[in-house]
Amino acid sequence: MRILFAGAGNFGHVYPLIPLATAAKAAGHEVSFATGEQLHPALVRAGLDPVKAGRPVPEAFMEAVRAMGHQGGDLGAQDVPPEVLAALHVEVFGSVLPRWVAADLAPELERLRPDLVVYEALNPGASFAARLAGIPAVAHGVGLMAQGPEDLAVQEKLLATAADLGVDVPGGQLLALARTYIDICPPSIQDPHFLAAPLPRIEQRSVAYAEPGELPEPFRSGSEPFVYVTLGTALGSADVLRTVVQGLLPLNVPLLVAAGPVVPVEELGELPDRVVAVPWVAQAKALESASLVVQHGGAGTTLATLAAGLPQLVLPQGADGPANGRAVRDAGAGEVVFAPDLTAEAVTEAARGLLASESARVGARKVADEIASMPLPAETVKRLAEFAG
């Protein structure tokens, strides 16, 4: 078959789909992958053919500013009213980004004529384009599917956008545009309301895409456990990262800090010898030797840490972080400190408790065993032909 994968232009929205895309290519299918150009180098390294679809989120926010009649400026400034930021969020993810993706994919679907589109569930513009082109589509999850009030507002905006584009959404349920949903979140973690929904589901093991690379020299031997710290690729903050490091220093353990693309390492200031901060970490390798993961609650890092059987301290910084943090805590696989309570002292207390907690390690290993029992992407590939007919 010819299969087009489509993910929103962010690491956490593209990397979870790469294992299935590479498995499909290995099985002999003709595979293309549509996303923003900033992710194209990663796709090429994975041996996949990239297709341009969508633009970066900051550009979408500026477009939303213009569309809503606001003046330009720093959208992160403290003087921007919260209600304005909330409205911009709804406009970006409910209208601007899906319209861009749908417009970009329309000519590509005509050119490539895929038999099936596999789109990331948080990239609905791809499902709109597939529907308009008459091409069957399958949704691919990236993690927990819990919805809050802000998500519901985005859903309402998406339905209005679909109607404007001429897309008929069966029953007003956006996922009804998909013939099935590939769920990489283990059932014990997944939102029970979503599990009870009538949409057909395929369970698939969460396989972390491992980019090539080595850990910094002090951490390669694996002889001494360390704490791995990351705030992800989109929501990092130098202030928050400094608070986290300050809170972990009293534990007297080595720290490997991935500063990410939005926090320059030099902004962390002078660090003790036992703290190594770098822009990027080969996360799959870090999870092989770490004793604790302190992270932002992104779906990819949360699932990868659970799959590795490691306890984790979740410090949500927005998006799906709070829901993921609660899920980890409720599974007995870690703890969560929400943003209003985040202090160095809170990090010290929570991390010290997790390092000493046998129950957290047992809880994490229990979820890891559940993930290991789920089918691999190669098994999912065998079923894709069912949905292309």
Side-chain angles (χ1 to χ4, degrees):
M1 295 192 301
R2 292 186 300 275
I3 306 174
L4 175 75
F5 286 77
N10 195 298
F11 292 93
H13 295 258
V14 167
Y15 277 20
L17 277 68
I18 289 180
L20 182 60
T22 55
K25 183 176 180 179
H29 299 295
E30 185 179 325
V31 175
S32 302
F33 203 123
T35 189
E37 290 181 300
Q38 66 272 28
L39 271 297
H40 286 190
L43 295 175
V44 171
R45 289 193 294 272
L48 299 170
D49 295 329
V51 173
K52 180 183 179 300
R55 281 174 268 174
V57 170
E59 288 187 30
F61 267 94
M62 295 311 300
E63 177 63 24
V65 167
R66 290 188 288 269
M68 296 174 64
H70 295 290
Q71 298 300 314
D74 182 4
L75 295 179
Q78 294 182 355
D79 58 351
V80 177
E83 62 272 16
V84 173
L85 288 176
L88 287 170
H89 176 91
V90 171
E91 183 71 16
V92 164
F93 295 101
S95 179
V96 177
L97 284 175
R99 288 177 189 274
W100 282 350
V101 171
D104 286 346
L105 278 183
E108 296 297 337
L109 293 177
E110 179 65 27
R111 177 177 67 87
L112 297 168
R113 299 307 305 169
D115 302 293
L116 183 69
V117 170
V118 179
Y119 70 96
E120 182 234 331
L122 301 180
N123 188 31
S127 71
F128 297 167
R131 187 76 162 192
L132 291 170
I135 298 171
V138 167
H140 190 304
V142 296
L144 196 66
M145 283 295 285
Q147 288 189 329
E150 191 175 68
D151 300 306
L152 294 176
V154 172
Q155 296 292 305
E156 291 182 6
K157 188 70 173 182
L158 282 168
L159 289 173
T161 299
D164 189 44
L165 295 176
V167 177
D168 175 40
V169 180
Q173 300 297 316
L174 290 165
L175 283 178
L177 295 172
R179 296 194 170 185
T180 193
Y181 180 93
I182 299 169
D183 195 355
I184 64 172
C185 187
S188 67
I189 299 294
Q190 185 59 279
D191 180 73
H193 298 290
F194 178 71
L195 293 177
L199 177 72
R201 291 171 55 254
I202 295 175
E203 290 187 4
Q204 178 185 291
R205 189 184 311 179
S206 172
V207 179
Y209 170 58
E211 281 229 64
E214 295 292 338
L215 297 181
E217 186 58 46
F219 301 94
R220 291 183 188 176
S221 66
S223 59
E224 184 178 12
F226 59 89
V227 174
Y228 170 52
V229 180
T230 174
L231 295 183
T233 59
L235 299 175
S237 157
D239 288 340
V240 173
L241 205 48
R242 282 193 293 266
T243 298
V244 174
V245 171
Q246 182 183 354
L248 294 172
L249 286 178
L251 304 181
N252 293 315
V253 296
L255 304 180
L256 175 57
V257 179
V262 298
V263 179
V265 171
E266 56 270 18
E267 289 190 9
L268 300 181
E270 188 174 351
L271 300 170
D273 290 342
R274 68 176 181 278
V275 180
V276 176
V278 292
W280 178 87
V281 164
Q283 182 162 278
K285 287 189 168 67
L287 296 178
E288 293 175 0
S289 305
S291 56
L292 173 67
V293 177
V294 180
Q295 55 103 357
H296 60 299
T301 301
T302 299
L303 289 178
T305 303
L306 288 170
L310 294 174
Q312 53 188 301
L313 172 56
V314 183
L315 311 173
Q317 299 301 297
D320 56 348
N324 289 327
R326 285 189 289 268
V328 167
R329 179 197 60 197
D330 295 347
E335 293 291 344
V336 57
V337 176
F338 295 104
D341 305 315
L342 182 58
T343 63
E345 293 74 20
V347 171
T348 303
E349 180 181 357
R352 179 176 283 129
L354 286 172
L355 286 171
S357 173
E358 179 60 26
S359 64
R361 287 189 285 273
V362 170
R365 286 196 295 268
K366 182 179 179 180
V367 181
D369 290 342
E370 180 185 9
I371 292 173
S373 70
M374 297 170 72
L376 285 165
E379 294 301 312
T380 305
V381 170
K382 296 176 182 178
R383 299 194 57 188
L384 291 181
E386 299 175 26
F387 310 105

